[in-house]
Amino acid sequence: MRIFISSLLKNTNPKIEYYSRFSPSPLSIKQFLDFGRDNACEKTSYMFLRKELPVRLANTMREVNLLPDNLLSQPSVRLVQKWYMQSFVELLDYENRKPEDPHALNDFLELLIEIRNRHNDVVPTMAQGVIEYKERFGFDPFISSNIQYFLDRFYTNRISFRMLINQHTLLFGNDTNPAHPKHIGSIDPNCSVAEVVSDAYDTAKMLCEKYYLAAPELKIEEFNMKAPKKPIQAVYVPSHLFHMLFELFKNSMRATVELHEDSKEGLPPVKAKVTLGKEDLSIKISDRGGGVPLRKIDRLFNYMYSTAPTPSLEPGAVPLAGFGYGLPISRLYARYFQGDLKLYSMEGVGTDAVIYLKALSSESFERLPVFNKSAWRHYKTSPEADDWSNPSKEPRDARNQAGHE
């Protein structure tokens, strides 16, 4: 495979360099919606995507090449590289193919479906590559910060790549979802947030009951500042919102059941609060699962800190099960359209997780990584000495210190 990638790289490098000179063109949810609503034109979408998709691929491929050699040489990382290279080369076939060509639009549509399927396992395969690297070379803080920077950008790029492909294939292909006839591609113009919260809770509850034979109840509250007493609706991608909420509910339920399974009072409920203001649509998931110490909060979002056993990459396995990537990728989904995901925890009590989304679809622009000198410097700058004092030991457990003070 190494020879295959090297020869492909040699032939396509000038094209990758050419396309990486262009910055990706971020779109807002409103733009996606307006295009899909107003007699969406397949030719227009084709003309845009045949350039935009190679630009987004080239930007991320340039960054892949800046990763440490020891990581690049891992079999799983090489496999991901091969997929990206193949997709890039196949898209170049359409560089000068006019939309008037009788087969161009249909061939392009079929290619996009092929590319999407090829990239289905990019997240777990790349995660496997990081595990392979860690097992061979151990943990290095500087390399870890580079991998963190890279994977946030790489996975965001992948979310955006799939968003563009899904919009095109849902609008112009035969895979329209009959269950959601009012969706514009993957966007629901009237997404009931409380419904998605309930769906994500129900799915997580099923998993929780399967593993623990019990699950906490859910209490939902809504506060609509714009239209009091009316249910909160958003223009959003329900699958993205579901992904984030499902992850948060899984974490809350597990913590709650493990802390309270022997309690006579039973399990305290998990609470969801949905609020809509002028700028933000916020969803808070609160649990009484005992919380996480402040020192460990950042680690929950760190790809290199995942301590779970290597999960199966078999088809049909629960997505991301065991990689510890659920939270960092959920945060990328939130940030993708200019939102965020934050955890506020009180050790000994529980955790509040808040998803922030933009209230207006016209402000929900894609947040995309751009390959430029700033990005390049991030990989090439050597680590500097920390300019704040550092405790040399892990913190002591206060409970064991009480008698010694």
Side-chain angles (χ1 to χ4, degrees), residues 102-113:
H103 300 295
L105 297 182
N106 199 52
D107 290 351
F108 187 69
L109 183 77
E110 284 178 8
L111 172 65
L112 292 189
I113 292 166

Side-chain angles (χ1 to χ4, degrees), residues 3 6 10 20 57 68 112 116 154 261 276 282 297 381-382:
I3 296 163
S6 302
K10 201 172 178 183
S20 70
L57 276 181
L112 292 189
R116 183 177 61 203
F154 179 75
E261 57 188 342
L276 178 63
S282 314
I297 288 283
T381 312
S382 55

Side-chain angles (χ1 to χ4, degrees), residues 23 60 63 94 97 126 133 144-145 156 170 205 210 213 239 247 305 319 352-353 359 370 383 398:
S23 288
T60 208
E63 287 198 38
Y94 292 86
R97 201 165 157 190
M126 195 54 136
Y133 169 83
S144 168
S145 102
T156 300
L170 285 165
K205 182 185 179 190
K210 182 179 165 188
L213 305 177
S239 59
E247 181 59 31
Y305 266 110
D352 288 352
V370 178

Side-chain angles (χ1 to χ4, degrees), residues 19-20 22-27 32 48 51-62 84 88 156-157 159-164 336 366 368-369:
Y19 276 99
S20 70
F22 297 96
S23 288
S25 307
L27 300 172
F32 277 118
F48 174 69
K51 179 172 180 192
E52 185 63 18
L53 290 175
V55 165
R56 294 193 186 191
L57 276 181
N59 270 265
T60 208
M61 287 159 83
R62 290 292 299 275
Y84 271 69
F88 183 76
T156 300
N157 186 290
I159 292 168
S160 82
F161 196 71
R162 289 181 88 77
M163 180 75 194
L164 293 181
Y336 172 50
E366 293 180 288
L368 303 172

Side-chain angles (χ1 to χ4, degrees), residues 211-232:
Y211 287 104
Y212 295 103
L213 305 177
E217 290 305 308
L218 171 69
K219 288 189 176 173
I220 301 185
E221 279 183 287
E222 288 191 82
F223 294 89
N224 190 337
M225 191 186 100
K226 281 187 173 177
K229 296 187 180 167
K230 281 198 173 177
I232 293 171

Side-chain angles (χ1 to χ4, degrees), residues 44-174:
T44 309
S45 183
Y46 168 76
M47 297 295 283
F48 174 69
L49 290 183
R50 74 175 184 175
K51 179 172 180 192
E52 185 63 18
L53 290 175
V55 165
R56 294 193 186 191
L57 276 181
N59 270 265
T60 208
M61 287 159 83
R62 290 292 299 275
E63 287 198 38
V64 171
N65 292 332
L66 293 176
L67 289 172
D69 289 341
N70 289 336
L71 179 58
L72 275 179
S73 61
Q74 299 312 309
S76 299
V77 178
R78 292 207 155 269
L79 181 58
V80 171
Q81 256 192 312
K82 180 179 163 241
W83 291 338
Y84 271 69
M85 193 70 68
Q86 197 175 337
S87 300
F88 183 76
V89 169
E90 287 171 355
L91 284 165
L92 290 183
D93 287 345
Y94 292 86
E95 206 174 18
N96 301 308
R97 201 165 157 190
K98 295 198 161 40
E100 288 73 29
D101 172 336
H103 300 295
L105 297 182
N106 199 52
D107 290 351
F108 187 69
L109 183 77
E110 284 178 8
L111 172 65
L112 292 189
I113 292 166
E114 247 177 69
I115 288 174
R116 183 177 61 203
N117 293 341
R118 177 184 301 138
H119 290 234
N120 272 344
D121 287 330
V122 160
V123 174
T125 309
M126 195 54 136
Q128 182 64 42
V130 171
I131 289 169
E132 290 162 0
Y133 169 83
K134 219 165 59 168
E135 282 172 354
R136 282 194 65 189
F137 302 101
F139 182 87
D140 172 305
F142 175 62
I143 299 286
S144 168
S145 102
N146 268 353
I147 289 175
Q148 185 73 20
Y149 176 80
F150 166 75
L151 286 178
D152 270 349
R153 293 163 67 81
F154 179 75
Y155 289 145
T156 300
N157 186 290
R158 178 179 180 273
I159 292 168
S160 82
F161 196 71
R162 289 181 88 77
M163 180 75 194
L164 293 181
I165 288 179
N166 286 340
Q167 284 306 103
H168 188 88
T169 57
L170 285 165
L171 289 171
F172 308 115
N174 298 318

